[in-house]
Amino acid sequence: DAGVIQSPRHEVTEMGQEVTLRCKPISGHDYLFWYRQTMMRGLELLIYFNNNVPIDDSGMPEDRFSAKMPNASFSTLKIQPSEPRDSAVYFCASSRRQGVNTEAFFGQGTRLTVV
Amino acid sequence: DQQVKQNSPSLSVQEGRISILNCDYTNSMFDYFLWYKKYPAEGPTFLISISSIKDKNEDGRFTVFLNKSAKHLSLHIVPSQPGDSAVYFCAASAGNFNKFYFGSGTKLNVKP
């Protein structure tokens, strides 16, 4: 398997613009997570899905952030409008169904810079 | 408020010596703990985990220790190798194994 695939790897955008990050989870994984990595807070969980349904979005910072999972093989994280403080590395991860010894597999991340 | 804390942002160790990375947590409901390793420009990769029913788990050069009373876990790497140089994240979950709380990471540098 190719692993979790994220695109783009890097994104530079101007403040106020819409940004869309994309993720393809590992085939057969039921859970999909969006994380954000910053120097101050480390890895923060933004939202996660189970079988394409959002389960917990309590980590989404503001209404400017939204995430969708239209099918089992694709998810998007959208920021509209973007602000400089959104600059971070965004990771998508997926895992099998809940159970002992479950770990999440991460993509390579999207480095977002909002200028 | 961070429920998982890694208070040492960086650690430098000589090759061949032991590396000890520490992690503290505040939520007594956490019952599953993991360590991830991250190289620059890559995503974190799973390294080792431990359930709260154990106090030690070993995998080759990597051992994780859990002290539930102190709400503390540590990762020992023996012997340390230059290829171990990376950022290490500790993570924890409660009941629902799929919602993980991560620490801020510790950057390990193993000097040749």
Side-chain angles (χ1 to χ4, degrees):
Chain A
D1 198 317
V4 176
I5 300 172
Q6 291 186 245
S7 65
R9 290 294 308 277
H10 302 274
E11 176 79 39
V12 180
T13 190
E14 291 185 348
M15 181 174 64
Q17 295 297 306
E18 177 181 298
V19 175
T20 299
L21 312 181
R22 297 173 175 78
C23 175
K24 176 177 165 46
I26 293 173
S27 177
H29 281 190
D30 301 293
Y31 287 82
L32 183 139
F33 310 85
W34 282 101
Y35 283 90
R36 178 171 67 175
Q37 183 189 9
T38 60
M39 289 294 291
M40 292 298 294
R41 300 182 65 87
L43 277 169
E44 297 177 88
L45 177 64
L46 301 177
I47 184 172
Y48 78 96
F49 296 82
N50 177 214
N51 292 324
N52 313 339
V53 177
I55 302 301
D56 186 342
D57 65 355
S58 59
M60 296 285 260
E62 300 171 33
D63 291 345
R64 299 183 296 107
F65 287 68
S66 62
K68 293 182 180 179
M69 192 165 184
N71 57 62
S73 60
F74 184 65
S75 177
T76 59
L77 178 68
K78 185 180 292 186
I79 308 172
Q80 165 64 16
S82 58
E83 297 182 2
R85 59 194 169 120
D86 301 331
S87 298
V89 181
Y90 291 80
F91 289 102
C92 174
S94 69
S95 70
R96 296 181 191 279
R97 61 182 172 81
Q98 178 176 346
V100 178
N101 297 329
T102 297
E103 74 268 17
F105 295 81
F106 282 78
Q108 291 187 296
T110 295
R111 180 174 292 278
L112 173 64
T113 303
V114 183
V115 297
Chain B
D1 186 31
Q2 282 200 291
Q3 298 187 52
V4 177
K5 297 179 182 179
Q6 294 176 257
N7 293 317
S8 298
S10 63
L11 174 67
S12 188
V13 171
Q14 202 67 39
E15 180 179 6
R17 299 289 188 97
I18 183 171
S19 295
I20 300 177
L21 296 98
N22 294 304
C23 179
D24 297 296
Y25 60 95
T26 57
N27 189 340
S28 58
M29 299 299 291
F30 286 149
D31 55 9
Y32 187 56
F33 305 88
L34 309 89
W35 284 93
Y36 278 79
K37 176 177 170 179
K38 183 185 178 305
Y39 291 118
E42 294 185 11
T45 54
F46 171 73
L47 188 58
I48 191 169
S49 64
I50 188 167
S51 164
S52 60
I53 62 172
K54 294 183 172 182
D55 54 19
K56 176 183 174 181
N57 189 26
E58 191 171 352
D59 183 1
R61 297 184 297 113
F62 302 90
T63 303
V64 56
F65 295 91
L66 176 62
N67 183 335
K68 289 185 288 293
S69 60
K71 295 192 181 65
H72 177 84
L73 67 155
S74 60
L75 175 68
H76 292 211
I77 307 173
V78 183
S80 302
Q81 299 174 354
D84 296 329
S85 298
V87 177
Y88 290 79
F89 290 96
C90 119
S93 70
N96 178 344
F97 288 111
N98 291 95
K99 183 172 181 179
F100 296 107
Y101 297 84
F102 280 80
S104 53
T106 297
K107 185 174 183 179
L108 174 65
N109 178 33
V110 180
K111 297 177 286 187

